[in-house]
Short mmCIF file of all heavy atoms in Angstrom, two decimals:
data_model
loop_
_atom_site.label_atom_id
_atom_site.label_comp_id
_atom_site.label_asym_id
_atom_site.label_seq_id
_atom_site.Cartn_x
_atom_site.Cartn_y
_atom_site.Cartn_z
N ASN A 15 87.55 110.17 126.92
CA ASN A 15 86.70 109.82 125.88
C ASN A 15 87.00 108.57 125.19
O ASN A 15 86.03 107.71 124.80
CB ASN A 15 86.52 111.06 124.90
CG ASN A 15 85.81 112.18 125.51
OD1 ASN A 15 84.89 112.14 126.29
ND2 ASN A 15 86.41 113.39 125.34
N LEU A 32 89.38 95.64 126.83
CA LEU A 32 89.93 96.90 126.89
C LEU A 32 90.83 96.95 128.09
O LEU A 32 90.69 96.45 129.12
CB LEU A 32 88.87 97.95 127.04
CG LEU A 32 89.26 99.36 127.31
CD1 LEU A 32 89.88 100.01 126.05
CD2 LEU A 32 88.22 100.25 127.67
N THR A 69 98.23 110.49 124.67
CA THR A 69 99.10 111.26 125.56
C THR A 69 99.39 112.64 125.04
O THR A 69 99.25 112.85 123.82
CB THR A 69 100.39 110.35 125.69
OG1 THR A 69 100.91 110.12 124.51
CG2 THR A 69 100.06 109.09 126.48
N GLY A 85 104.47 95.17 117.56
CA GLY A 85 103.51 94.63 116.71
C GLY A 85 102.02 95.19 116.95
O GLY A 85 101.06 94.68 116.40
N LEU A 96 105.08 116.73 116.97
CA LEU A 96 105.23 118.26 116.86
C LEU A 96 106.33 118.54 115.80
O LEU A 96 106.50 119.77 115.50
CB LEU A 96 105.61 118.87 118.28
CG LEU A 96 104.61 118.71 119.30
CD1 LEU A 96 105.10 119.19 120.60
CD2 LEU A 96 103.24 119.29 118.84
N ALA A 111 107.54 97.53 111.01
CA ALA A 111 106.86 96.51 111.78
C ALA A 111 105.68 95.90 110.97
O ALA A 111 104.91 95.00 111.42
CB ALA A 111 106.30 97.03 113.03
N HIS A 119 92.60 112.43 113.00
CA HIS A 119 92.02 113.58 112.44
C HIS A 119 90.57 113.45 112.29
O HIS A 119 89.86 113.10 111.40
CB HIS A 119 92.66 113.89 111.11
CG HIS A 119 93.99 114.31 110.99
ND1 HIS A 119 94.36 115.53 111.45
CD2 HIS A 119 95.25 113.64 110.80
CE1 HIS A 119 95.69 115.84 111.35
NE2 HIS A 119 96.11 114.60 110.92
N LEU A 127 80.59 117.23 107.53
CA LEU A 127 81.80 117.47 106.57
C LEU A 127 81.91 116.35 105.74
O LEU A 127 82.31 116.55 104.55
CB LEU A 127 83.13 117.56 107.54
CG LEU A 127 84.34 117.83 106.75
CD1 LEU A 127 84.21 119.09 105.96
CD2 LEU A 127 85.51 117.86 107.59
N ARG A 133 79.63 115.73 98.35
CA ARG A 133 79.09 116.67 97.30
C ARG A 133 80.17 117.37 96.41
O ARG A 133 79.99 117.62 95.33
CB ARG A 133 78.22 117.62 98.05
CG ARG A 133 76.83 117.15 98.72
CD ARG A 133 76.04 118.11 99.35
NE ARG A 133 74.86 117.60 100.01
CZ ARG A 133 73.63 117.45 99.34
NH1 ARG A 133 73.59 118.17 98.14
NH2 ARG A 133 72.64 116.98 99.83
N ASP A 148 87.07 129.47 110.97
CA ASP A 148 87.24 130.24 112.22
C ASP A 148 87.12 129.23 113.34
O ASP A 148 86.10 128.44 113.56
CB ASP A 148 86.22 131.32 112.44
CG ASP A 148 86.31 132.38 111.45
OD1 ASP A 148 87.42 132.54 110.95
OD2 ASP A 148 85.29 133.10 111.19
N ALA A 154 93.21 129.64 128.72
CA ALA A 154 94.52 129.80 128.89
C ALA A 154 95.24 128.76 127.93
O ALA A 154 94.78 127.68 127.65
CB ALA A 154 94.96 129.35 130.33
N PRO A 155 96.35 129.29 127.28
CA PRO A 155 97.07 128.40 126.31
C PRO A 155 97.55 127.14 126.96
O PRO A 155 97.90 127.13 128.20
CB PRO A 155 98.12 129.28 125.78
CG PRO A 155 98.39 130.32 126.76
CD PRO A 155 96.99 130.47 127.38
N GLY A 174 93.20 119.88 102.57
CA GLY A 174 93.86 119.00 101.63
C GLY A 174 92.97 117.71 101.23
O GLY A 174 93.02 117.20 100.09
N ASP A 189 101.07 134.37 117.05
CA ASP A 189 101.11 135.38 118.15
C ASP A 189 101.30 134.69 119.60
O ASP A 189 100.61 133.71 119.87
CB ASP A 189 99.77 136.07 118.17
CG ASP A 189 99.62 137.06 117.02
OD1 ASP A 189 100.58 137.63 116.55
OD2 ASP A 189 98.46 136.88 116.37
N THR A 199 97.43 132.25 119.12
CA THR A 199 96.67 132.64 117.80
C THR A 199 97.57 132.29 116.73
O THR A 199 98.78 132.43 116.69
CB THR A 199 96.40 134.05 117.85
OG1 THR A 199 95.53 134.48 118.97
CG2 THR A 199 95.70 134.45 116.61
N VAL A 202 96.87 131.24 109.21
CA VAL A 202 97.66 130.42 108.19
C VAL A 202 96.93 130.63 106.87
O VAL A 202 95.61 130.61 106.78
CB VAL A 202 97.71 128.99 108.50
CG1 VAL A 202 98.44 128.10 107.44
CG2 VAL A 202 98.13 128.74 109.95
N LEU A 204 97.04 129.19 102.97
CA LEU A 204 97.52 128.13 102.19
C LEU A 204 97.10 128.26 100.71
O LEU A 204 95.96 128.54 100.53
CB LEU A 204 96.81 126.73 102.58
CG LEU A 204 97.22 126.41 104.09
CD1 LEU A 204 96.16 125.37 104.53
CD2 LEU A 204 98.55 125.94 104.33
N GLU A 207 96.88 125.23 93.84
CA GLU A 207 96.94 125.59 92.42
C GLU A 207 95.88 126.51 91.96
O GLU A 207 96.18 127.44 91.27
CB GLU A 207 97.07 124.21 91.63
CG GLU A 207 97.10 124.54 90.11
CD GLU A 207 97.13 123.39 89.20
OE1 GLU A 207 96.98 122.23 89.79
OE2 GLU A 207 97.28 123.42 87.97
N ALA A 209 93.14 127.54 94.36
CA ALA A 209 92.36 127.73 95.50
C ALA A 209 93.24 128.29 96.57
O ALA A 209 94.41 128.11 96.58
CB ALA A 209 91.62 126.43 95.99
N THR A 253 76.44 132.31 92.79
CA THR A 253 77.67 132.54 92.03
C THR A 253 77.56 133.84 91.33
O THR A 253 76.52 134.48 91.16
CB THR A 253 78.00 131.30 91.15
OG1 THR A 253 79.27 131.45 90.68
CG2 THR A 253 76.94 131.24 90.01
N LEU A 261 79.06 141.41 84.65
CA LEU A 261 78.96 140.37 85.76
C LEU A 261 77.84 140.73 86.67
O LEU A 261 77.51 141.88 86.88
CB LEU A 261 80.31 140.59 86.57
CG LEU A 261 81.57 140.28 85.95
CD1 LEU A 261 82.86 140.44 86.69
CD2 LEU A 261 81.51 138.70 85.31
N THR A 269 69.95 126.34 101.12
CA THR A 269 69.15 125.22 101.53
C THR A 269 70.07 124.49 102.70
O THR A 269 71.15 124.28 102.59
CB THR A 269 69.08 124.17 100.45
OG1 THR A 269 68.37 124.82 99.30
CG2 THR A 269 68.26 123.01 100.86
N ALA A 304 101.47 112.61 108.94
CA ALA A 304 102.89 113.17 108.70
C ALA A 304 102.88 114.32 107.79
O ALA A 304 103.56 115.32 108.08
CB ALA A 304 103.77 112.13 108.34
#
Side-chain angles (χ1 to χ4, degrees):
N15 288 320
L32 173 68
T69 56
L96 294 181
H119 285 290
L127 185 58
R133 290 173 180 269
D148 291 339
D189 295 312
T199 296
V202 184
L204 305 160
E207 182 178 5
T253 189
L261 294 177
T269 304

